[in-house]
mmCIF file with all atom_site columns, all heavy atoms in Angstrom:
data_model
loop_
_atom_site.group_PDB
_atom_site.id
_atom_site.type_symbol
_atom_site.label_atom_id
_atom_site.label_alt_id
_atom_site.label_comp_id
_atom_site.label_asym_id
_atom_site.label_entity_id
_atom_site.label_seq_id
_atom_site.pdbx_PDB_ins_code
_atom_site.Cartn_x
_atom_site.Cartn_y
_atom_site.Cartn_z
_atom_site.occupancy
_atom_site.B_iso_or_equiv
_atom_site.pdbx_formal_charge
_atom_site.auth_seq_id
_atom_site.auth_comp_id
_atom_site.auth_asym_id
_atom_site.auth_atom_id
_atom_site.pdbx_PDB_model_num
ATOM 1  N N   . GLN A 1 5  ? 20.216 -6.659 9.862  1.00 0.00 ? 7  GLN A N   1
ATOM 2  C CA  . GLN A 1 5  ? 19.340 -6.069 8.835  1.00 0.00 ? 7  GLN A CA  1
ATOM 3  C C   . GLN A 1 5  ? 19.833 -4.658 8.647  1.00 0.00 ? 7  GLN A C   1
ATOM 4  O O   . GLN A 1 5  ? 20.797 -4.103 9.142  1.00 0.00 ? 7  GLN A O   1
ATOM 5  C CB  . GLN A 1 5  ? 17.935 -6.025 9.273  1.00 0.00 ? 7  GLN A CB  1
ATOM 6  C CG  . GLN A 1 5  ? 17.431 -7.319 9.635  1.00 0.00 ? 7  GLN A CG  1
ATOM 7  C CD  . GLN A 1 5  ? 15.941 -7.271 10.062 1.00 0.00 ? 7  GLN A CD  1
ATOM 8  O OE1 . GLN A 1 5  ? 15.046 -6.676 9.302  1.00 0.00 ? 7  GLN A OE1 1
ATOM 9  N NE2 . GLN A 1 5  ? 15.512 -7.841 11.206 1.00 0.00 ? 7  GLN A NE2 1
ATOM 10 N N   . GLU A 1 6  ? 19.158 -3.978 7.695  1.00 0.00 ? 8  GLU A N   1
ATOM 11 C CA  . GLU A 1 6  ? 19.321 -2.567 7.441  1.00 0.00 ? 8  GLU A CA  1
ATOM 12 C C   . GLU A 1 6  ? 19.068 -1.798 8.700  1.00 0.00 ? 8  GLU A C   1
ATOM 13 O O   . GLU A 1 6  ? 18.257 -2.222 9.578  1.00 0.00 ? 8  GLU A O   1
ATOM 14 C CB  . GLU A 1 6  ? 18.251 -2.077 6.470  1.00 0.00 ? 8  GLU A CB  1
ATOM 15 C CG  . GLU A 1 6  ? 18.500 -0.853 5.767  1.00 0.00 ? 8  GLU A CG  1
ATOM 16 C CD  . GLU A 1 6  ? 17.356 -0.412 4.896  1.00 0.00 ? 8  GLU A CD  1
ATOM 17 O OE1 . GLU A 1 6  ? 16.998 -1.291 4.169  1.00 0.00 ? 8  GLU A OE1 1
ATOM 18 O OE2 . GLU A 1 6  ? 17.004 0.690  4.811  1.00 0.00 ? 8  GLU A OE2 1
ATOM 19 N N   . ARG A 1 7  ? 19.828 -0.736 9.015  1.00 0.00 ? 9  ARG A N   1
ATOM 20 C CA  . ARG A 1 7  ? 19.606 -0.061 10.244 1.00 0.00 ? 9  ARG A CA  1
ATOM 21 C C   . ARG A 1 7  ? 18.303 0.591  10.334 1.00 0.00 ? 9  ARG A C   1
ATOM 22 O O   . ARG A 1 7  ? 17.667 1.111  9.418  1.00 0.00 ? 9  ARG A O   1
ATOM 23 C CB  . ARG A 1 7  ? 20.705 1.126  10.308 1.00 0.00 ? 9  ARG A CB  1
ATOM 24 C CG  . ARG A 1 7  ? 22.074 0.616  10.485 1.00 0.00 ? 9  ARG A CG  1
ATOM 25 C CD  . ARG A 1 7  ? 23.048 1.628  11.020 1.00 0.00 ? 9  ARG A CD  1
ATOM 26 N NE  . ARG A 1 7  ? 22.973 2.946  10.211 1.00 0.00 ? 9  ARG A NE  1
ATOM 27 C CZ  . ARG A 1 7  ? 23.400 4.041  10.532 1.00 0.00 ? 9  ARG A CZ  1
ATOM 28 N NH1 . ARG A 1 7  ? 24.011 4.193  11.795 1.00 0.00 ? 9  ARG A NH1 1
ATOM 29 N NH2 . ARG A 1 7  ? 23.496 5.089  9.797  1.00 0.00 ? 9  ARG A NH2 1
ATOM 30 N N   . PRO A 1 8  ? 17.641 0.418  11.470 1.00 0.00 ? 10 PRO A N   1
ATOM 31 C CA  . PRO A 1 8  ? 16.330 0.997  11.708 1.00 0.00 ? 10 PRO A CA  1
ATOM 32 C C   . PRO A 1 8  ? 16.262 2.459  11.471 1.00 0.00 ? 10 PRO A C   1
ATOM 33 O O   . PRO A 1 8  ? 17.205 3.230  11.793 1.00 0.00 ? 10 PRO A O   1
ATOM 34 C CB  . PRO A 1 8  ? 15.929 0.607  13.219 1.00 0.00 ? 10 PRO A CB  1
ATOM 35 C CG  . PRO A 1 8  ? 16.979 -0.347 13.615 1.00 0.00 ? 10 PRO A CG  1
ATOM 36 C CD  . PRO A 1 8  ? 18.154 -0.225 12.717 1.00 0.00 ? 10 PRO A CD  1
ATOM 37 N N   . LYS A 1 9  ? 15.175 3.005  10.981 1.00 0.00 ? 11 LYS A N   1
ATOM 38 C CA  . LYS A 1 9  ? 15.049 4.468  10.734 1.00 0.00 ? 11 LYS A CA  1
ATOM 39 C C   . LYS A 1 9  ? 14.182 4.925  12.035 1.00 0.00 ? 11 LYS A C   1
ATOM 40 O O   . LYS A 1 9  ? 13.078 4.485  12.222 1.00 0.00 ? 11 LYS A O   1
ATOM 41 C CB  . LYS A 1 9  ? 14.333 4.720  9.492  1.00 0.00 ? 11 LYS A CB  1
ATOM 42 C CG  . LYS A 1 9  ? 15.274 4.489  8.235  1.00 0.00 ? 11 LYS A CG  1
ATOM 43 C CD  . LYS A 1 9  ? 14.460 4.827  7.074  1.00 0.00 ? 11 LYS A CD  1
ATOM 44 C CE  . LYS A 1 9  ? 13.623 3.678  6.517  1.00 0.00 ? 11 LYS A CE  1
ATOM 45 N NZ  . LYS A 1 9  ? 13.070 4.068  5.146  1.00 0.00 ? 11 LYS A NZ  1
ATOM 46 N N   . VAL A 1 10 ? 14.672 5.993  12.701 1.00 0.00 ? 12 VAL A N   1
ATOM 47 C CA  . VAL A 1 10 ? 13.986 6.538  13.831 1.00 0.00 ? 12 VAL A CA  1
ATOM 48 C C   . VAL A 1 10 ? 13.817 8.034  13.540 1.00 0.00 ? 12 VAL A C   1
ATOM 49 O O   . VAL A 1 10 ? 14.740 8.736  13.186 1.00 0.00 ? 12 VAL A O   1
ATOM 50 C CB  . VAL A 1 10 ? 14.833 6.267  15.083 1.00 0.00 ? 12 VAL A CB  1
ATOM 51 C CG1 . VAL A 1 10 ? 14.088 7.019  16.323 1.00 0.00 ? 12 VAL A CG1 1
ATOM 52 C CG2 . VAL A 1 10 ? 15.035 4.875  15.388 1.00 0.00 ? 12 VAL A CG2 1
ATOM 53 N N   . LEU A 1 11 ? 12.632 8.493  13.785 1.00 0.00 ? 13 LEU A N   1
ATOM 54 C CA  . LEU A 1 11 ? 12.241 9.902  13.689 1.00 0.00 ? 13 LEU A CA  1
ATOM 55 C C   . LEU A 1 11 ? 12.150 10.479 15.057 1.00 0.00 ? 13 LEU A C   1
ATOM 56 O O   . LEU A 1 11 ? 11.281 9.935  15.849 1.00 0.00 ? 13 LEU A O   1
ATOM 57 C CB  . LEU A 1 11 ? 10.963 10.092 12.896 1.00 0.00 ? 13 LEU A CB  1
ATOM 58 C CG  . LEU A 1 11 ? 10.307 11.471 12.848 1.00 0.00 ? 13 LEU A CG  1
ATOM 59 C CD1 . LEU A 1 11 ? 11.299 12.454 12.241 1.00 0.00 ? 13 LEU A CD1 1
ATOM 60 C CD2 . LEU A 1 11 ? 9.061  11.422 12.006 1.00 0.00 ? 13 LEU A CD2 1
#
Side-chain angles (χ1 to χ4, degrees):
Q7 305 185 48
E8 196 185 320
R9 290 198 306 165
K11 290 184 276 189
V12 177
L13 171 59

